[in-house]
């Protein structure tokens, strides 16, 4: 990766925890089992007007006498968290699920029950492209996905703020191009 200024276009895809996949072989998606990029079960999050990443950590400071005054000697991280927020600019069955708290919906769904759904966990794939359409980053992480904030169904394009909190998985990975 070369150093330089970039404008980044973001694409996001979600694969449900517990859903079956066939690529790279038969399996069930979960924290310890990730579907392949070519599997047809990935759900496109649609147009993302922005994507933000926030890395939080909690640390403990270690002070040591040097020789008599205690001075900061080390910092030890004890907790780490990565949070990804995005604004979806298209409505889909998944965004209706997130907004109304429903069970899983598909493009064939015609009826739903608000607040009957479960916590949405699964794999999030983020693909980031530079202004020249070349990919610069691909991120695959196991997440807890939810809507944050109020949704306004009015005269403007509906925007859905979503938050993905990265959960620990040994299969979480990123690739720089």
């Amino acid at each position: 990766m070369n150093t330089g200024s970039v404008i980044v276009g973001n694409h996001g895809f979600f694969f449900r925890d517990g859903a079956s996949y066939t690529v790279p072989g038969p399996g069930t998606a979960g924290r310890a089992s990730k579907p392949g990029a070519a599997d047809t079960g990935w759900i496109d999050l649609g147009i993302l007007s922005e994507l933000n990443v926030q890395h939080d950590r909690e640390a403990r400071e270690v002070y040591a006498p040097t020789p008599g005054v205690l001075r900061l000697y080390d910092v030890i991280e004890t907790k780490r968290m990565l949070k990804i927020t995005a604004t979806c600019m298209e409505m889909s069955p998944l965004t209706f699920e997130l907004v109304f708290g429903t069970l899983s919906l598909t493009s064939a769904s015609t009826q739903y029950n608000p607040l009957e759904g479960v916590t949405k966990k699964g794999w999030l794939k983020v693909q980031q492209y530079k202004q020249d359409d070349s990919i610069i980053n691909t991120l695959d992480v196991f997440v807890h996905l939810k809507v944050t904030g109020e949704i306004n169904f009015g005269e403007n394009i509906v925007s859905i703020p979503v938050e993905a909190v990265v959960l620990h998985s040994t299969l979480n990975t990123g690739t720089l191009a």
Side-chain angles (χ1 to χ4, degrees):
M1 178 177 188
N2 294 326
T3 302
S5 300
V6 295
I7 296 172
V8 177
N10 300 287
H11 300 264
F13 306 88
F14 184 72
F15 203 103
R16 299 175 192 282
D17 183 31
S20 297
Y21 61 81
T22 58
V23 176
T28 302
R31 185 185 307 259
S33 182
K34 181 170 56 172
D39 197 277
T40 58
W42 287 98
I43 301 166
D44 189 344
L45 295 178
I47 296 171
L48 301 179
S49 66
E50 60 183 59
L51 187 135
N52 303 294
V53 178
Q54 179 182 346
H55 179 191
D56 286 331
R57 64 196 67 71
E58 187 174 305
R60 301 286 187 258
E61 295 175 342
V62 178
Y63 288 84
T66 55
V69 174
L70 294 178
R71 291 184 174 93
L72 185 61
Y73 184 78
D74 200 357
V75 176
I76 299 171
E77 286 188 0
T78 58
K79 296 180 182 177
R80 295 178 184 160
M81 183 183 73
L82 192 63
K83 185 186 305 182
I84 300 166
T85 57
T87 303
C88 297
M89 301 302 292
E90 293 182 307
M91 294 296 294
S92 69
L94 179 61
T95 55
F96 271 97
E97 276 180 52
L98 293 169
V99 169
F100 293 103
T102 74
L103 294 171
S104 295
L105 299 173
T106 67
S107 58
S109 297
T110 58
Q111 187 274 330
Y112 66 88
N113 298 91
L115 303 180
E116 290 297 318
V118 296
T119 301
K120 304 293 183 223
K121 292 181 184 175
W123 285 97
L124 176 68
K125 178 181 292 298
V126 174
Q127 296 173 328
Q128 297 181 301
Y129 293 82
K130 294 191 317 186
Q131 65 273 7
D132 65 0
D133 293 338
S134 62
I135 194 160
I136 60 169
N137 184 35
T138 301
L139 177 70
D140 286 331
V141 285
F142 190 72
V143 300
H144 169 249
L145 186 67
K146 67 179 185 177
V147 165
T148 58
E150 184 176 75
I151 310 302
N152 184 348
F153 294 98
E155 66 181 61
N156 294 318
I157 295 171
V158 176
S159 62
I160 302 100
V162 296
E163 174 183 277
V165 177
V166 176
L167 304 175
H168 176 71
S169 170
T170 57
L171 301 176
N172 288 344
T173 187
T175 304
L176 295 173

